[in-house]
Amino acid sequence: MITINNLKKQFGETVATDIPSFTINDGDILGLVGNNGAGKSTLFRIMLDLLKADNGTVTYTFPSLGEGSGVGPINPAESEDWKQYVGAYLDEGFLIDFLTPEEYFAFLGKISGKTQAEVDERLKDFERFAADEVFGQKKLIRNLSAGNKQKVGIISALFNKPQIIVLDEPFNFLDPSSQNMLKHLLTEYNKETGATILCSSHNLAHTVDISTRIALLEHGVIVRDIDNNEGAAAQELENYFEQ
């Protein structure tokens, strides 16, 4: 569970985040939508301790996956214990672009205690999404296309089977086939693991397709919290953005 309390962030006179109270439940697929400048990326960066809030907190509470009472609450601004449970990809800055994809995932495996055999086995889950364009190309990540860099980033967010996944504009740069595969990848991961997924996107159709719930941001404020049972949010979002 993710709990937000009295969270505020300003850049000069511009309010980027102003959320008095908001809870994201375990297992939610939350679509975060809003026009440019609505505060989606700022919120994600605060949640990942990449940006300090002016006021308020974000806390994570992780459910127990076996015996025990779970972990948390953890404030990411005060502890790094959350990092083993959270996978994220916001932009190319998350990648080590002077490595090949194979070298990059070998590195991620090493720091998370995986053998190379375990790394190779895990990457098999992403073969269809990678589509023979990411692995085996003998290219550094910096020399991949924008779409294939995006795939490397998304795979890295899922690689360690986190309980919370944070993705900023994940459909950007992907061709239509890859966009559809990504929707399937995320929804199946959610069903299989019960993980919580946060996904910001300008693509309303894809957001509606995958989300169980949608938060609509405007000037840093969550102005609507929409239940998206069976795509029910589509008409409300269409009406809002036609204003």
Side-chain angles (χ1 to χ4, degrees):
M1 182 169 67
I2 305 169
T3 305
I4 299 172
N5 281 308
N6 297 317
L7 192 67
K8 292 185 179 181
K9 180 66 180 179
Q10 287 189 218
F11 298 101
E13 297 298 316
T14 301
V15 176
T17 305
D18 186 1
I19 304 174
S21 179
F22 192 69
T23 299
I24 303 163
N25 300 310
D26 294 333
D28 278 351
I29 303 180
L30 180 74
L32 205 62
V33 301
N35 289 317
N36 288 335
K40 304 183 297 297
S41 296
T42 298
L43 175 58
F44 281 173
R45 289 186 176 277
I46 293 172
M47 291 174 62
L48 298 171
D49 194 34
L50 299 172
L51 190 64
K52 297 297 183 185
D54 297 328
N55 189 61
T57 61
V58 174
T59 57
Y60 296 116
T61 304
F62 301 98
S64 173
L65 299 182
E67 295 183 4
S69 57
V71 178
I74 300 170
N75 182 342
E78 298 176 351
S79 169
E80 295 193 350
D81 291 346
W82 59 278
K83 291 186 176 181
Q84 62 184 304
Y85 304 102
V86 178
Y89 181 67
L90 304 189
D91 55 42
E92 288 183 29
F94 278 54
L95 304 175
I96 304 175
D97 68 356
F98 57 81
L99 301 178
T100 66
E102 289 88 347
E103 291 169 339
Y104 179 55
F105 286 107
F107 171 75
L108 293 184
K110 185 174 182 179
I111 63 175
S112 59
K114 290 181 174 60
T115 65
Q116 187 59 49
E118 289 171 328
V119 170
D120 295 340
E121 186 64 26
R122 178 62 177 137
L123 292 178
K124 288 180 182 178
D125 294 338
F126 304 104
E127 285 180 347
R128 185 163 179 263
F129 181 56
D132 296 325
E133 297 176 339
V134 172
F135 302 114
Q137 303 303 302
K138 297 182 179 180
K139 286 185 178 181
L140 303 180
I141 292 172
R142 67 175 56 157
N143 295 327
L144 296 176
S145 68
N148 287 329
K149 289 177 186 175
Q150 189 82 340
K151 289 181 180 181
V152 172
I154 291 165
I155 293 169
S156 71
L158 295 166
F159 180 71
N160 283 317
K161 297 187 177 180
Q163 293 183 38
I164 294 176
I165 298 166
V166 181
L167 299 172
D168 194 8
E169 298 289 351
F171 298 102
N172 277 2
F173 312 119
L174 300 182
D175 60 37
S177 294
S178 297
Q179 290 175 357
N180 285 327
M181 281 188 276
L182 177 57
K183 289 192 290 185
H184 178 77
L185 187 66
L186 294 177
T187 54
E188 286 303 306
Y189 185 84
N190 171 263
K191 289 176 184 176
E192 291 170 5
T193 67
T196 303
I197 299 175
L198 284 68
C199 175
S200 79
S201 181
H202 285 124
N203 191 310
L204 296 182
H206 289 333
T207 304
V208 169
D209 284 347
I210 67 170
S211 301
T212 59
R213 181 181 173 195
I214 292 176
L216 178 56
L217 268 74
E218 184 177 306
H219 304 302
V221 178
I222 297 177
V223 294
R224 299 187 193 179
D225 179 7
I226 310 168
D227 182 353
N228 191 39
N229 184 41
E230 297 184 356
Q235 189 60 56
E236 186 170 346
L237 290 174
E238 183 178 339
N239 293 342
Y240 176 85
F241 286 108
E242 284 182 349
Q243 294 176 5

